[in-house]
Amino acid sequence: MLHYPAATPSDPDDSDSDAPAAAFLPRYLARIGYRGPVAPTMEVLAALQAAHIAAIPFEAIDALTGAGVDIGADAVDAKLIGQRRGGYCFEQNGLFLRVLQTIGFAAEGLIGRVRWMLPDDAPPTPRTHMVVRVRLDGRPWLTDVGFGATVPPAPLAMDSEEPQPTRHETYRIVRHGDVWQVAALIEREWRTLYRIDDTPPPAIDYEIGNWYTSTHPDSHFRHQLSVARTTAEARYGLRDNRLTTRLTDGRIDRRYLTADEIERTLSEIFLLPVQRHWRAAIERAATAEIAG
């Protein structure tokens, strides 16, 4: 039997709507349970990244239900910090970028194309994934807190093509001209996660990517319940009604859930404040047939 983490108590009325700007950083640090030093160092960067992905789950439930996704700073702070929700890359990495810049890191956003679970010769995908590049002592580092169940759990050096082991998978970044290709070693095979453009984009590119991801009929987030959380001990991934737990010791557990079990899992494992209007989407997910 695998161990699942208990939920963290939260106040559903805790909202960022009236919080002064000066309170942004301490509220974020409290949200992720981080009590360490706050300075632009590698140790702090790695600690923040690990704490973030353990505390704030990846989820796109607002895209699935049709509620829409607002990636403006106020909306993201209210949702991910105040309401203790999760989000996907534009919300998660947009928030993380602002946190790092507030602390004093030389950080910038980048955008690219998701290639996860696609053959190498598949047609180009839209530019719908945001990551953050941080420069420390002249070295560029990739940080990402918004890529679901295969999110890198630690900063990755962008100036080396050598494999980079982490507590979970081993990663590798290879540069092809103005594009960075990020891959993970999964079941002894290098699998491309995404390809990131080298030039920081204007804000409108994030808006367009978010619009596509949250509203376009071809976006899988419009049709599939997708939730993930990564801790120091395990990765938890929910794809419709299939819950997968991957422990760092190599054990894997897969279970198929009923609607009531999905609802409990969203609360107990993914630490989400389940909302009543999610029920229809949860019931649809419970009847899904997942291949592969």
Side-chain angles (χ1 to χ4, degrees):
M1 178 65 67
L2 300 180
H3 171 71
Y4 295 120
T8 300
S10 62
D11 181 355
D13 296 325
D14 183 19
S15 173
D16 264 12
S17 58
D18 297 321
F24 158 74
L25 184 57
R27 284 175 61 80
Y28 167 82
L29 297 177
R31 170 73 174 92
I32 66 172
Y34 179 77
R35 298 178 179 83
V38 177
T41 67
M42 174 53 69
E43 292 73 21
V44 171
L45 178 63
L48 290 175
Q49 184 169 339
H52 183 118
I53 61 177
I56 305 181
F58 176 94
E59 53 110 336
I61 296 174
D62 287 347
L64 182 63
T65 64
V69 178
D70 185 344
I71 62 172
D74 290 344
V76 169
D77 292 353
K79 179 180 175 182
L80 274 64
I81 301 177
Q83 298 169 27
R84 304 187 73 84
R85 287 280 306 279
Y88 62 20
C89 71
F90 294 110
E91 300 166 285
Q92 299 264 18
N93 284 316
L95 171 60
F96 199 55
L97 173 60
R98 288 188 286 115
V99 167
L100 298 180
Q101 290 175 335
T102 299
I103 292 173
F105 284 95
E108 58 191 355
L110 299 176
I111 196 169
R113 306 177 192 277
V114 175
R115 306 300 295 173
W116 176 237
M117 301 188 70
L118 293 176
D120 289 341
D121 59 354
T125 52
R127 298 168 80 228
T128 57
H129 186 57
M130 177 186 182
V131 300
V132 178
R133 177 166 56 193
V134 178
R135 298 186 188 276
L136 282 167
D137 298 324
R139 296 192 70 187
W141 295 84
L142 176 76
T143 60
D144 184 356
V145 294
F147 198 69
T150 50
V151 64
L156 301 175
M158 299 179 70
D159 59 356
S160 172
E161 297 188 359
E162 294 299 315
Q164 301 182 54
T166 72
R167 183 184 292 269
H168 294 281
E169 292 80 19
T170 295
Y171 291 80
R172 183 175 66 188
I173 300 180
V174 177
R175 184 169 185 171
H176 302 282
D178 291 333
V179 175
W180 304 87
Q181 180 167 303
V182 181
L185 187 61
I186 298 175
E187 296 177 355
R188 300 183 180 181
E189 179 184 350
W190 286 108
R191 300 185 185 179
T192 302
L193 305 183
Y194 43 78
R195 294 171 182 157
I196 298 297
D197 296 338
D198 184 63
T199 303
I204 188 62
D205 285 10
Y206 298 133
E207 292 287 349
I208 295 299
N210 176 64
W211 172 84
Y212 181 94
T213 305
S214 63
T215 68
H216 197 280
D218 288 346
S219 170
H220 71 275
F221 293 125
R222 297 286 291 122
H223 311 287
Q224 185 178 88
L225 178 63
S226 180
V227 190
R229 178 171 169 243
T230 295
T231 70
E233 296 79 24
R235 289 193 187 273
Y236 306 96
L238 180 65
R239 182 182 173 193
D240 278 332
N241 59 353
R242 186 177 70 190
L243 174 66
T244 302
T245 302
R246 298 176 181 272
L247 297 181
T248 54
D249 64 9
R251 285 182 294 159
I252 300 175
D253 177 61
R254 290 188 178 93
R255 293 189 288 135
Y256 288 86
L257 311 178
T258 66
D260 288 344
E261 289 171 333
I262 291 173
E263 198 163 285
R264 286 197 299 273
T265 295
L266 290 174
S267 173
E268 295 174 3
I269 295 179
F270 298 103
L271 314 182
L272 288 170
V274 177
Q275 300 179 18
R276 187 172 301 174
H277 73 273
W278 295 357
R279 185 66 189 191
I282 289 172
E283 290 179 350
R284 289 195 301 271
T287 65
E289 294 183 8
I290 300 175

